[in-house]
Amino acid sequence: MLRIITKSFNQIAQKPLLVFFMYAVGFVLAMLVARPFYVTFLNEAYTSVALDKLIADFDFMIFTDFFHQSQKAFQPFLPLVFTLGIVYLLLNTFFAGGILDAPEQEKFKFPRFFEASAQHFARFAMLLVFLFIFLMVLVSLAGMFFFIFAAIAEGGSEKDYILWMIPPVLILVYFVGFVVIMGDYGRVMLFKSPTLTSYGAFWKAFSYIFKWPSAIALFWLIIVLGIILSVVYLGIDRLIGMHASLTIFLMFLVQQVFVLGRTFLKISTQVAAKNYFEARPIELEKVVLVAETQEEN
């Protein structure tokens, strides 16, 4: 497993343009929300000291009170965030073909990247539809666990209620992660087989994960690396703080470095799935041998 991760990291590190491009796409989409959100935040704060308190030391009570008082000003951001979320999902689905093709390039070239992305997008998008339907089924199932554990916790203290909610939350996280893993391996299978249908890739990815449980462990190992990265960032944030213009700018640069790192890890989940599948391949399509006979004259 570590060998696959090391191989995947090396392949991505050799394609820095790919990482910076995916980072730039995410940065532009984030700025479409962050910039007007920041302006609205400043307009709503006026001369209030709430903004200064939040910058110096985040306080959840101040944060919630501020947004409760200014909720009308921030309501237009809900459809914007939803729309950009859909756009981000479709873009990631589109670029998946180029990401899977990138390790096979000796030198990364954008024309080939976009060509591979466009070539596989239709089948990847159809796979996304099947995954979404499956996710809704799993979310409904997870909702049943929430009701069950909520009924068990009824009558207890607030602390007991929170503790009883941990199992259904973990179940929901596992279900979401399972669908994401299916998406990774489903796209790998579609990339490997031009004749495989999206529906076929969905079921083959489902059975493949059960056949090789270490595929799930590989995904969560990369997720843990991302969590460690976030913890390190929070430690640096606590150490430096944001008390002046210089430290705010410095933390912005540090933040972008860590965002770049998370982009690297996000790409690595797809590349690692490809390397894992290549190490443990399965038959994706039936090979029919046709024997030609020559008629005797």
Side-chain angles (χ1 to χ4, degrees), residues 18 21-22 88-105 108 112-125 127-128 183-192 266-267 269-271 274:
L18 171 62
F21 173 75
M22 296 304 297
Y88 180 78
L89 181 62
L90 291 176
L91 284 177
N92 275 278
T93 303
F94 175 78
F95 292 134
I99 291 173
L100 290 173
D101 181 68
E104 301 183 4
Q105 297 186 40
F108 182 78
R112 177 170 169 175
F113 172 78
F114 286 112
E115 180 181 356
S117 298
Q119 178 182 353
H120 299 282
F121 176 66
R123 292 192 299 157
F124 284 7
L127 174 64
L128 183 64
D184 287 342
Y185 285 92
R187 285 188 290 269
V188 170
M189 293 175 184
L190 290 172
F191 178 82
K192 289 290 185 179
K266 184 178 183 302
I267 296 173
T269 59
Q270 188 73 81
V271 176
K274 181 173 180 284

Side-chain angles (χ1 to χ4, degrees), residues 15 22 39 56 62 64 79 84 89-90 115 128 144 151 153 155 175 203 218 220 231 251 270 281 292:
K15 307 293 188 298
M22 296 304 297
V39 172
I62 296 177
T64 53
L84 289 179
L89 181 62
L90 291 176
E115 180 181 356
L128 183 64
M144 294 174 56
F175 282 167
W203 286 112
L218 176 66
W220 285 111
V231 172
M251 281 308 303
Q270 188 73 81
E292 295 183 358

Side-chain angles (χ1 to χ4, degrees), residues 89 98 132 139 161 186 213 219 224 230 242 279 288-289:
L89 181 62
F132 177 77
V139 168
Y161 184 83
F219 171 82
V224 168
S230 298
M242 293 189 292
V288 180
L289 298 177

Side-chain angles (χ1 to χ4, degrees), residues 40-56 61-63 65-67 69-70:
T40 303
F41 189 88
L42 290 179
N43 292 336
E44 289 297 311
Y46 291 111
T47 58
S48 173
V49 297
L51 181 61
D52 296 331
K53 289 182 178 180
L54 288 175
I55 291 177
M61 292 301 296
I62 296 177
F63 180 80
D65 288 342
F66 176 79
F67 275 96
Q69 296 173 2
S70 306

Side-chain angles (χ1 to χ4, degrees), residues 40-297:
T40 303
F41 189 88
L42 290 179
N43 292 336
E44 289 297 311
Y46 291 111
T47 58
S48 173
V49 297
L51 181 61
D52 296 331
K53 289 182 178 180
L54 288 175
I55 291 177
D57 186 16
F58 182 80
D59 188 307
F60 184 75
M61 292 301 296
I62 296 177
F63 180 80
T64 53
D65 288 342
F66 176 79
F67 275 96
H68 179 72
Q69 296 173 2
S70 306
Q71 57 182 347
K72 290 184 178 180
F74 291 100
Q75 283 179 354
F77 287 96
L78 294 177
L80 176 61
V81 171
F82 177 79
T83 302
L84 289 179
I86 298 297
V87 171
Y88 180 78
L89 181 62
L90 291 176
L91 284 177
N92 275 278
T93 303
F94 175 78
F95 292 134
I99 291 173
L100 290 173
D101 181 68
E104 301 183 4
Q105 297 186 40
E106 186 173 341
K107 184 179 180 181
F108 182 78
K109 296 180 179 179
F110 278 108
R112 177 170 169 175
F113 172 78
F114 286 112
E115 180 181 356
S117 298
Q119 178 182 353
H120 299 282
F121 176 66
R123 292 192 299 157
F124 284 7
M126 184 56 65
L127 174 64
L128 183 64
V129 173
F130 292 128
L131 291 171
F132 177 77
I133 296 173
F134 184 50
L135 178 61
M136 291 300 99
V137 174
L138 292 181
V139 168
S140 300
L141 181 60
M144 294 174 56
F145 285 101
F146 273 97
F147 282 116
I148 293 173
F149 281 92
I152 296 175
E154 188 176 358
S157 64
E158 182 179 351
K159 181 180 179 181
D160 292 336
Y161 184 83
I162 294 175
L163 291 176
W164 278 110
M165 286 298 102
I166 292 178
V169 168
L170 293 178
I171 292 173
L172 178 61
V173 171
Y174 178 81
F175 282 167
V176 173
F178 187 85
V179 173
V180 173
I181 298 170
M182 281 186 60
D184 287 342
Y185 285 92
R187 285 188 290 269
V188 170
M189 293 175 184
L190 290 172
F191 178 82
K192 289 290 185 179
S193 174
T195 60
L196 183 65
T197 64
S198 301
Y199 183 74
F202 173 84
W203 286 112
K204 284 184 178 295
F206 182 84
S207 61
Y208 184 83
I209 294 173
F210 277 103
K211 182 180 180 180
W212 298 103
S214 54
I216 299 177
L218 176 66
F219 171 82
W220 285 111
L221 180 57
I222 297 176
I223 295 298
V224 168
L225 292 177
I227 294 174
I228 293 174
L229 201 64
S230 298
V231 172
V232 172
Y233 167 76
L234 292 175
I236 295 176
D237 180 48
R238 180 171 293 273
L239 179 64
I240 297 177
M242 293 189 292
H243 307 288
S245 299
L246 179 60
T247 54
I248 292 174
F249 178 73
L250 180 60
M251 281 308 303
F252 172 77
L253 295 179
V254 172
Q255 181 190 60
Q256 295 312 305
V257 171
F258 278 88
V259 171
L260 187 65
R262 287 197 296 269
T263 302
F264 183 95
L265 291 176
K266 184 178 183 302
I267 296 173
S268 69
T269 59
Q270 188 73 81
V271 176
K274 181 173 180 284
N275 290 327
Y276 185 95
F277 182 81
E278 290 174 346
R280 300 169 178 82
I282 61 171
E283 183 183 9
L284 296 178
E285 51 194 3
K286 294 182 179 180
V287 179
V288 180
L289 298 177
V290 180
E292 295 183 358
T293 58
Q294 184 178 4
E295 297 181 357
E296 295 181 359
N297 294 330

